[in-house]
Amino acid sequence: MRAIVMLCLLGVAVANDPYYSWNGPNGKESTDPATENVCLMDTASCGCCLMQKQMWRMETFFNMSLSQLQRDLERAEAALHNLRASRSAFSVALTDTRRCLGPFREATAIRYEVVFLNLGAGYNTSTGVFTAPRAGVYSLALTVYSDAGSPGATLAACARLRRNGSVLAAPSENNTQDQEDSTSVTMAVQLNAGDRVDVTLPAGCFLCDSSSHFNTFTGFLLYATD
Ligand SMILES: *[C@@H]1O[C@H](CO)[C@@H](O)[C@H](O)[C@H]1NC(C)=O
Ligand SMILES: *[C@@H]1O[C@H](CO)[C@@H](O)[C@H](O)[C@H]1NC(C)=O
Ligand SMILES: *[C@@H]1O[C@H](CO)[C@@H](O)[C@H](O)[C@H]1NC(C)=O
Ligand SMILES: *[C@@H]1O[C@H](CO)[C@@H](O)[C@H](O)[C@H]1NC(C)=O
């Protein structure tokens, strides 16, 4: 009995050796039917003890792999959830009916009435202001159109794209030689959470729209940076 215990301890020592492979000390596979038979015949035998040791190691290995997989899955799920929660895109047009806006004596905020898309509800339809839900790189696009054929017309297609009141871009087409003018701008901008993006009509500018939606304001989060 003492000899068996000694052999078994030796087996444990071998099993704990980091250089000890999955093979038995004699290069035999531990699942060798001969070893299994030993175990069936005598559970206190050294062969059985070694086999149990191997099974314990394999179980530890698979448990570790399983918990690693679970951690990876949780991380992937969190990333996906984050991606879904940060979705932000809006696209709006000035009007749906044939109508013009301006010219005014003072710069006036433009409220786009037609909402094509407002994913994440960042665009406020009563103020015309888009508030960035989170920090990130956003794509912003603005197109303006003016028509000198409309009543009271002056031809000056111009507007200002602003962030927190500061001008990001001031697209303008002020040409008296023709009937219609249009201009546009597209930018990639780093915004902070809470930054307010809007469009104003500077004094003298004049925009016309119809169901063709010549005046559009669009923005979306390209990727979050927080
Ligand atoms: C492997 O995980 C199971 C289930 O959580 C547990 O019962 C068992 O004791 C673990 N085995 C080892 C060797 O850690
Ligand atoms: C839009 O802005 C107004 C004025 O700041 C505010 O009262 C209103 O709650 C906002 N609407 C939404 C949907 O956030
Ligand atoms: C813009 O204004 C918002 C709201 O007041 C503020 O949270 C944000 O930090 C401002 N951004 C910049 C770049 O000043
Ligand atoms: C357009 O050009 C005319 C002639 O140069 C000028 O008087 C007018 O102020 C300009 N309008 C705007 C909005 O820039």
Side-chain angles (χ1 to χ4, degrees), residues 5-219:
V5 170
M6 282 300 288
L7 277 172
C8 208
L9 284 175
L10 186 68
V12 169
V14 171
N16 285 336
D17 180 348
Y19 299 105
Y20 175 78
S21 74
W22 289 106
N23 291 334
N26 303 324
K28 277 189 194 164
E29 290 285 335
S30 59
T31 49
D32 181 335
T35 318
E36 248 170 75
N37 287 342
V38 166
C39 204
L40 285 175
M41 276 152 34
D42 181 4
T43 53
S45 74
C46 185
C48 182
C49 177
L50 275 176
M51 204 172 87
Q52 279 173 344
K53 199 70 204 162
Q54 290 285 31
M55 280 171 66
W56 183 83
R57 288 186 60 190
M58 278 172 78
E59 200 176 306
T60 309
F61 174 76
F62 286 121
N63 273 7
M64 269 164 51
S65 307
L66 186 64
S67 53
Q68 181 63 45
L69 276 175
Q70 267 161 352
R71 273 198 300 277
D72 288 350
L73 181 65
E74 275 162 27
R75 216 175 294 145
E77 277 173 349
L80 192 63
H81 178 265
N82 195 23
L83 199 69
R84 288 210 175 110
S86 73
R87 285 192 291 198
S88 173
F90 74 95
S91 189
V92 292
L94 196 57
T95 66
D96 243 344
T97 53
R98 199 170 169 78
R99 202 152 60 75
C100 294
L101 186 70
F104 301 118
R105 282 165 186 258
E106 285 177 7
T108 308
I110 301 177
R111 213 170 47 76
Y112 291 83
E113 290 169 6
V114 183
V115 177
F116 300 122
L117 178 74
N118 194 11
L119 194 63
Y123 179 77
N124 186 318
T125 47
S126 53
T127 59
V129 175
F130 168 72
T131 304
R134 62 189 301 171
V137 173
Y138 288 76
S139 168
L140 299 173
L142 173 68
T143 298
V144 294
Y145 167 86
S146 185
D147 184 351
S150 298
T154 54
L155 192 58
C158 34
R160 284 187 175 153
L161 179 62
R162 309 187 312 169
R163 173 220 204 156
N164 275 12
S166 304
V167 176
L168 288 171
S172 169
E173 225 228 302
N174 182 7
N175 178 350
T176 51
Q177 305 300 308
D178 57 6
Q179 162 95 26
E180 296 163 276
D181 273 351
S182 183
T183 177
S184 65
V185 61
T186 303
M187 318 175 71
V189 182
Q190 167 78 54
L191 298 178
N192 299 326
D195 278 6
R196 294 157 58 84
V197 178
D198 70 355
V199 181
T200 57
L201 192 69
C205 295
F206 180 72
L207 303 182
C208 294
D209 210 1
S210 72
S211 57
S212 295
H213 305 130
F214 299 123
N215 290 272
T216 54
F217 175 32
T218 297

